[in-house]
């Protein structure tokens, strides 16, 4: 059996510096306290009672001196080791009660258990509250309890982890005398069970409850009186199973702690809903705009891709004029017109061509059934049916015979059917285009809208009719060529250009006056545009996340400052640094993550709405969602770290004293 006193303090000093003034709060105090004793520390205000008590309670460290618990020196312990001792061996009762506000008596009592290896034990909490006479007040918050009742909750809290010592600093200082004596009777009874009590008071009748009274003056113990010499009651020693802590229970404890942080964060956010919402706005807007833009961008890209896919990747388009790079003409070269003869010459000379069609297009007014509609007229050759995938859903397409006879026949798109024929079958009906009467012979398949135009708003007529009866020209606007073999696309492209240069009699050094494009090039130009867009969006996202993060950092600093006393209480009952760090970090992440999730909903909604109006498929990809969630959580982590660290590094006693 250990013969060392329970606590032995030797030569403890504590000096506070106030500017250039030095306050010697403790001037070499030595003191031994036996297990089971009831010690009252008395003295005038400012004599150092509280300072001594905080050092004895491991809430503060002396500047010099030694502290032994059960003969074990504690002066080299880390803060977390001290927190563990406070949690398991010590209980605290303060003059200001120091209960957590907006938290029930039950939860206040259970607080030390949150930080203990054993976890919360509701039966124990209820038993203790019954023991202090508050069995019918367990669900009440501190502001619904009298001072005496609050102090009883504090005593119940001090007892939850079955400590061996209770420290009480002026526990009756804020109470009327009848409550004061009730509280002292409670403490006296606890002492009779073997719990060591160390009490600070400046009232004689309160000190009279103790067995031993120390009088302090000027930071030193001045006199001492032994009032009761009856044998000390002793708690049974801790059982081996209580002392044995395997790695598993620590692991479980950490997991449980994490759950606790989440609950605390949820409650902190809920109790400041508006503030939390405002502080997450930055993240919300950032994530929403990025999700919306990504959704719209991806939707547009998808629409472009399907549009090109329907044209076929083996398509080459020959146009008058030099090549353009992006929207900017790189050289102001000459422009050569294309003719039907060019198309025939290319068809004859170049072997890999599967289909070729010269086209002319113009805008014109179409009139049918007394209705007017301005639309695109496309003059094509029969092979266009294959090149542009225009197989009519009803009726027939343009034939060679129509071309030769310059037939006034038309194949109409869906939009025309809708706008001029009320959606009814128009085949056989007449339509006037620029005052020329055409007969409708077919309906085009539905193509859907593209980024820049409605591709169903078109009337297809024979090329010869379009050239000579509508546009009045003898040249064509473009020549569309479908290459039979995908491998031959670029060779064919070169061959066509070479042939055209020869036909146009361009000298070798002269710039091109016609240009030929393949679909891959056009697609990559569009992809380039959307890549630029993505870079821009990433910029917006980064900036808004930083701004949002700063907002969160700001609100977390406010939150930490508001709750310094709460942090002090948590540390006093055994919260380690990492518990406080975790609590505030999880809170910051919860704010930013909630903002991110709201942003996801808002942005997804916006993308949905816009894609609905534009007629695209909605594309909010899982990657975009993962990115939004990941980045918002990361923002909370990065910007919450500093405030949380600030909270975690607070000294317990400074935090408890904070006003
Ligand atoms: P008591 O509890 O006996 O009234 P304290 O232990 O609180 O006395 O204080 C002892 C002395 O130390 C007082 O002179 C007080 O002003 C000073 N003191 C206590 N805490 C601090 C502090 N945090 N900073 C500066 N001086 C302090
Ligand atoms: Mg004091």
């Amino acid at each position: 059996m250990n013969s060392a006193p329970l606590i032995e303090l030797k030569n403890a000093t504590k000096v506070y510096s106030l500017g250039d003034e030095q306050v010697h709060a403790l001037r070499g105090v030595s003191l031994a306290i036996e297990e089971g004793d009831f010690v009252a520390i008395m003295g005038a205000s400012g004599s150092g009672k509280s300072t001594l008590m905080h050092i004895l309670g491991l809430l503060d460290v002396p500047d010099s001196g030694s502290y032994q618990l059960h003969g074990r020196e504690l002066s080299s312990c880390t803060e977390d080791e001290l927190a563990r001792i406070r949690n398991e061996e010590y209980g605290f009762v303060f003059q200001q009660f120091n209960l957590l506000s907006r938290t029930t008596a039950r939860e206040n009592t259970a607080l030390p258990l949150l930080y203990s290896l054993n976890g919360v034990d509701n039966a124990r909490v209820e038993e203790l509250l019954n023991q202090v006479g508050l069995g019918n007040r367990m669900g009440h918050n501190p502001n619904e309890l009298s001072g005496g009742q609050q102090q009883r909750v504090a005593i119940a809290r001090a007892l939850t982890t079955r400590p061996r010592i209770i420290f009480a600093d002026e526990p009756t200082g804020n109470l009327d005398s009848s409550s004061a004596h009730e509280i002292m009777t409670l403490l006296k009874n606890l002492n009779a069970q073997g719990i060591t009590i160390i009490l600070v008071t400046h009232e004689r009748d309160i000190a009279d409850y103790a067995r031993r009274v120390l009088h302090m003056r000027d930071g030193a113990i001045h006199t001492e009186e032994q009032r009761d010499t009856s044998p000390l009651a002793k708690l049974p020693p801790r059982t081996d199973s209580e002392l044995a802590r395997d790695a598993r229970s620590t692991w479980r404890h950490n997991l449980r702690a994490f759950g606790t942080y989440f609950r605390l964060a949820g409650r902190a956010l809920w109790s400041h809903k508006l503030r939390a919402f405002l502080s997450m706005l930055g993240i919300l807007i950032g994530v929403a705009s990025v999700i919306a833009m990504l959704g719209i961008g991806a939707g547009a890209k998808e629409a472009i891709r399907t549009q090109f896919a329907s044209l076929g990747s083996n398509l080459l388009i020959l146009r008058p004029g030099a090549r353009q790079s992006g929207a900017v003409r790189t050289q102001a070269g000459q422009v050569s017109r294309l003719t039907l003869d060019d198309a025939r010459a290319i068809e004859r000379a170049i072997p890999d061509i599967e289909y070729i069609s010269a086209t002319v297009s113009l805008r014109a007014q179409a009139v049918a059934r007394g209705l007017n509609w301005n639309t695109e007229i496309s003059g094509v050759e029969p092979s266009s049916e294959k090149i542009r995938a225009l197989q009519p859903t009803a009726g027939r397409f343009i034939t060679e015979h129509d071309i030769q006879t310059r037939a006034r026949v038309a194949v109409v798109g869906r939009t025309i059917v809708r706008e001029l024929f009320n959606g009814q079958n128009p085949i056989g009906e007449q339509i006037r285009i620029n005052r020329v009467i055409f007969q409708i012979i077919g309906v085009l398949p539905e193509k859907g809208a593209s980024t820049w135009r409605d591709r169903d708003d078109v009337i297809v007529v024979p090329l010869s009719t379009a050239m000579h009866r509508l546009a009045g020209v003898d040249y064509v606007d473009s020549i569309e060529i479908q290459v039979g073999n995908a491998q031959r696309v670029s060779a064919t492209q070169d061959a066509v250009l070479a042939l055209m240069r020869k036909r146009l009699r361009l000298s070798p050094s002269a710039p091109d006056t016609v240009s030929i494009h393949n679909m891959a090039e056009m697609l990559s130009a569009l992809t380039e545009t959307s890549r630029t867009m993505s870079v821009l969006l990433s910029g917006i996202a980064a900036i808004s996340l930083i701004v949002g993060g700063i907002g969160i950092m700001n609100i977390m600093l406010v939150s930490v400052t508001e709750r310094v006393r709460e942090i002090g209480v948590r540390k006093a009952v055994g919260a380690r640094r990492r518990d406080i760090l975790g609590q505030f970090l999880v809170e910051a992440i919860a704010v930013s993550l909630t903002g991110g999730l709201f942003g996801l909903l808002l942005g997804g909604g916006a993308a949905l709405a816009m894609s609905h109006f534009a007629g695209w498929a909605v594309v909010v990809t899982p990657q975009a969602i993962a990115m939004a969630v990941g980045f918002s959580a990361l923002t909370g982590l990065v910007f919450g770290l500093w405030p949380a660290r600030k909270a975690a590094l607070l000294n317990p006693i400074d935090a408890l004293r904070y006003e």
Side-chain angles (χ1 to χ4, degrees):
M1 195 54 212
N2 201 336
S3 65
L6 179 61
I7 290 178
E8 185 159 26
L9 189 68
K10 284 191 194 136
N11 230 345
T13 63
K14 184 82 185 177
V15 180
Y16 294 109
S17 305
L18 289 172
D20 16 300
E21 197 195 343
Q22 303 248 304
V23 180
H24 290 265
L26 290 185
R27 303 171 191 264
V29 174
S30 296
L31 170 68
I33 295 171
E34 293 299 328
E35 170 136 34
D37 212 345
F38 188 157
V39 181
I41 303 170
M42 291 196 71
S45 180
S47 57
K49 306 183 295 293
S50 295
T51 306
L52 176 59
M53 168 87 138
H54 296 146
I55 285 172
L56 287 172
L58 297 174
L59 292 170
D60 205 357
V61 285
D63 295 334
S64 68
S66 102
Y67 184 120
Q68 291 188 348
L69 178 69
H70 287 299
R72 177 186 168 209
E73 177 61 50
L74 297 185
S75 44
S76 58
C77 279
T78 66
E79 210 204 278
D80 284 357
E81 284 167 336
L82 296 182
R84 171 78 42 239
I85 294 172
R86 287 198 298 271
N87 182 251
E88 289 175 352
E89 312 257 359
Y90 295 179
F92 295 94
V93 180
F94 302 95
Q95 180 175 355
Q96 273 82 12
F97 320 135
N98 279 337
L99 299 178
L100 301 187
S101 55
R102 286 189 296 267
T103 305
T104 61
R106 187 188 274 107
E107 288 168 297
N108 264 298
T109 306
L111 189 67
L113 295 175
L114 286 184
Y115 303 110
S116 80
L117 289 177
N118 297 320
V120 173
D121 173 357
N122 284 317
R124 165 99 184 132
V125 167
E126 292 181 7
E127 176 200 319
L128 283 168
L129 283 168
N130 279 316
Q131 198 181 321
V132 298
L134 288 177
N136 55 346
R137 290 279 191 280
M138 296 198 212
H140 289 236
N141 288 348
N143 59 352
E144 298 160 347
L145 297 172
S146 73
Q149 288 171 329
Q150 290 188 55
Q151 198 61 301
R152 285 153 191 260
V153 175
I155 290 175
R157 178 179 67 190
L159 290 170
T160 37
T161 55
R162 302 178 197 276
R164 304 183 82 75
I165 314 175
I166 287 189
F167 296 88
D169 189 350
E170 310 259 16
T172 58
N174 283 2
L175 300 179
D176 60 87
S177 73
S178 85
S179 310
H181 287 284
E182 282 169 19
I183 294 294
M184 289 314 297
T185 309
L186 254 172
L187 291 177
K188 186 83 189 160
N189 289 339
L190 292 172
N191 179 241
Q193 294 163 28
I195 295 176
T196 310
I197 312 271
I198 300 174
L199 168 83
V200 164
T201 184
H202 59 264
E203 291 171 80
R204 185 66 234 188
D205 59 333
I206 297 297
D208 282 346
Y209 282 87
R211 301 169 58 92
R212 188 178 159 200
V213 181
L214 309 176
H215 293 270
M216 287 194 77
R217 184 183 292 172
D218 263 349
I221 295 175
H222 179 243
T223 50
E224 177 173 347
E225 52 181 305
Q226 190 74 36
R227 301 185 61 259
D228 186 349
T229 51
S230 60
L232 298 169
K234 289 251 196 306
L235 283 177
R238 295 222 171 200
T239 62
D240 287 348
S241 72
E242 272 180 315
L243 292 171
R245 286 168 210 145
D246 49 28
R248 210 183 41 199
S249 76
T250 313
W251 196 84
R252 245 191 286 134
H253 168 63
N254 287 336
L255 200 70
R256 209 168 38 225
F258 207 64
T260 304
Y261 304 152
F262 266 100
R263 262 211 344 273
L264 291 174
R267 183 181 299 186
L269 295 195
W270 193 249
S271 62
H272 294 288
K273 285 180 279 292
L274 181 64
R275 189 170 91 178
F277 177 72
L278 292 177
S279 58
M280 61 182 66
L281 268 184
I283 303 257
L284 193 157
I285 291 169
V287 168
S289 57
V290 170
I291 290 289
M293 295 300 233
L294 282 179
I296 291 161
K301 208 145 98 186
E302 183 61 23
I304 292 166
R305 216 185 49 73
T306 51
Q307 178 187 346
F308 275 91
S310 78
L311 286 174
S313 56
N314 294 0
L315 185 65
L316 293 172
I317 298 180
L318 182 63
R319 288 210 177 89
R323 283 184 86 82
Q324 293 179 11
S325 165
V328 185
R329 206 171 266 262
T330 46
Q331 44 198 23
Q334 252 193 305
V335 177
S336 296
R337 289 216 153 118
L338 297 170
T339 65
L340 215 41
D341 288 343
D342 292 330
R344 297 291 85 83
I346 292 167
E347 192 174 13
R348 270 196 311 276
I350 296 172
D352 292 303
I353 291 173
E354 190 175 16
Y355 299 109
I356 185 163
S357 165
T359 70
V360 155
S361 65
L362 59 143
R363 291 210 67 89
Q365 202 69 16
V367 184
R369 294 186 175 180
L371 296 171
N372 247 297
W373 187 249
N374 188 279
T375 184
E376 180 189 340
I377 311 295
S378 187
V380 301
E381 297 186 271
S383 49
S384 204
E385 183 179 1
K386 294 286 186 305
I387 297 174
R388 293 192 193 170
L390 294 179
Q391 291 78 0
T393 54
R396 64 173 181 86
F397 199 69
I398 312 287
T399 61
E400 200 52 48
H401 183 257
D402 296 329
I403 300 281
Q404 272 152 23
T405 57
R406 294 184 190 173
R408 284 168 295 199
V409 291
V411 188
V412 295
R414 288 302 165 99
T415 303
I416 307 299
V417 176
R418 197 180 62 235
E419 297 295 337
L420 295 182
F421 298 96
N422 244 332
Q424 291 154 359
N425 180 9
I427 292 174
E429 299 220 27
Q430 294 195 332
I431 186 166
R432 247 169 356 131
I433 304 171
N434 283 2
R435 289 189 213 85
V436 182
I437 294 175
F438 284 71
Q439 184 164 31
I440 296 178
I441 54 167
V443 176
L444 294 170
E446 187 156 3
K447 292 284 184 182
S450 81
T451 331
W452 51 84
R453 64 192 174 95
D454 172 7
R455 294 184 300 142
D456 293 315
D457 187 6
V458 65
I459 299 175
V460 171
V461 300
L463 175 67
S464 51
T465 318
M467 284 169 70
H468 303 295
R469 292 192 196 267
L470 294 177
V473 296
D474 55 2
Y475 53 85
V476 299
D477 291 334
S478 69
I479 297 171
E480 294 171 1
I481 299 162
Q482 185 164 319
V483 183
N485 178 347
Q487 256 83 61
R488 301 291 301 158
V489 171
S490 99
T492 308
Q493 190 173 357
D494 295 343
V496 171
L497 190 60
L499 178 67
M500 284 308 298
R501 288 185 65 94
K502 208 164 98 194
R503 284 178 62 81
L504 295 168
R505 296 192 186 83
L506 296 175
S507 72
S509 59
D512 295 338
T513 56
V514 293
S515 57
I516 182 160
H517 298 271
N518 64 48
M519 285 297 118
E521 280 171 5
M522 296 199 190
L523 199 55
S524 78
L526 281 166
T527 317
E528 186 59 39
T529 316
S530 67
R531 193 171 307 127
T532 314
M533 185 93 156
S534 303
V535 169
L536 244 156
L537 281 178
S538 313
I540 294 172
I543 290 169
S544 59
L545 284 179
I546 288 172
V547 171
I550 291 170
I552 283 172
M553 181 146 81
N554 184 33
I555 212 70
M556 287 311 298
L557 285 172
V558 170
S559 176
V560 168
T561 311
E562 272 177 358
R563 287 148 70 191
V564 168
R565 274 180 82 99
E566 175 193 325
I567 295 164
V569 173
R570 288 180 186 278
K571 289 200 149 194
V573 304
R576 296 161 301 170
R577 280 185 179 166
R578 78 184 76 151
D579 291 316
I580 302 297
L581 185 80
Q583 180 186 340
F584 283 93
L585 212 47
V586 167
E587 190 175 318
I589 292 173
V591 175
S592 64
L593 205 54
T594 313
L597 291 178
F598 280 140
L600 198 61
L601 289 181
L602 190 70
L608 206 82
M610 291 183 80
S611 62
H612 175 75
F613 291 121
W616 302 324
V618 189
V619 194
V620 177
T621 59
Q623 290 96 310
I625 293 173
M627 208 183 72
V629 171
F631 274 105
S632 45
L634 193 70
T635 308
L637 182 73
V638 169
F639 288 90
L641 198 58
W642 186 54
R645 242 180 77 83
K646 221 177 105 140
L649 293 180
L650 281 171
N651 182 10
I653 196 61
D654 292 342
L656 275 172
R657 285 223 189 104
Y658 185 83
E659 294 294 323

